[in-house]
Amino acid sequence: MAPAKAAFYSAIFPGLGQIYNKKYWKAPLVWGAIATPTYFYLNNNSEYKRYRTAYKLRKSGFQDEFTNDLGEVTVSLETLERAQEQLRENRDLSLMWGVIIYVLQIVEASVNAHLIQFNTDDNLSLKPSFVQDPILFDAPKVGFTLKYTF
């Protein structure tokens, strides 16, 4: 597996680098991770535009969706301003997280392709053993030896 190719495929289409690395189970995770901030970005953007339009209409003296036919206001002008600020912030954060996840999945595909090149044997073993001090019998001491083999 070529790491540059895996990164290129992930950059073209998220999850494709994971499929190229034959880690098929990772592709749906990548798609879900990319889809979540995309959904929130689109939702916050549409709500932001809704409140922005209402704010502009009200400032111009026209009726907006938060004013009924009798002229009663259900949402104040200050609330419209605060809603715009919050929705814009949420939208921008969603975009930031989407870009971060996009870049991370490219890096993950490249690193995984690098690691596939290493020979990893299933015969890795870890054998802990406890060793007593043979010189001092009256004061019990216990040592710890850790042996690992490849």
Side-chain angles (χ1 to χ4, degrees):
M1 305 285 161
K5 209 176 212 183
F8 176 74
Y9 286 155
S10 280
I12 296 298
F13 185 76
L16 198 57
Q18 286 75 11
I19 293 171
Y20 171 75
N21 290 336
K22 295 187 171 82
K23 303 288 183 178
Y24 304 109
W25 62 275
K26 290 182 181 181
L29 297 176
V30 169
W31 297 331
I34 293 285
T36 302
T38 302
Y39 166 78
F40 284 111
Y41 175 85
L42 294 173
N43 188 32
N44 286 317
N45 193 42
S46 68
E47 287 296 308
Y48 169 76
K49 287 179 180 178
R50 179 177 160 220
Y51 280 89
R52 182 75 182 150
T53 302
Y55 177 79
K56 285 180 178 180
L57 286 172
R58 189 169 303 168
K59 286 294 268 187
S60 299
F62 296 108
Q63 182 177 354
D64 59 80
E65 69 174 282
F66 300 109
T67 306
N68 63 17
D69 292 333
L70 301 174
E72 297 172 346
V73 176
T74 58
V75 177
S76 70
L77 192 62
E78 295 170 2
T79 304
L80 288 175
E81 289 175 9
R82 278 188 269 127
Q84 285 178 74
E85 291 170 9
Q86 186 65 49
L87 289 166
R88 185 177 340 122
E89 182 180 331
N90 290 346
R91 178 194 67 188
D92 295 346
L93 283 173
S94 298
L95 178 63
M96 179 192 71
W97 280 112
V99 169
I100 288 172
I101 291 170
Y102 175 76
V103 170
L104 282 178
Q105 65 92 24
I106 293 171
V107 170
E108 191 278 331
S110 177
V111 169
N112 196 341
H114 273 291
L115 293 177
I116 287 174
Q117 296 173 359
F118 291 102
N119 183 14
T120 55
D121 190 9
D122 289 336
N123 194 13
L124 294 175
S125 62
L126 180 70
K127 189 189 276 186
S129 63
F130 294 97
V131 180
Q132 290 184 339
D133 190 357
I135 298 172
L136 297 172
F137 290 110
D138 50 338
K141 287 198 268 184
V142 176
F144 182 73
T145 303
L146 185 64
K147 296 180 181 179
Y148 59 93
T149 58
F150 290 96

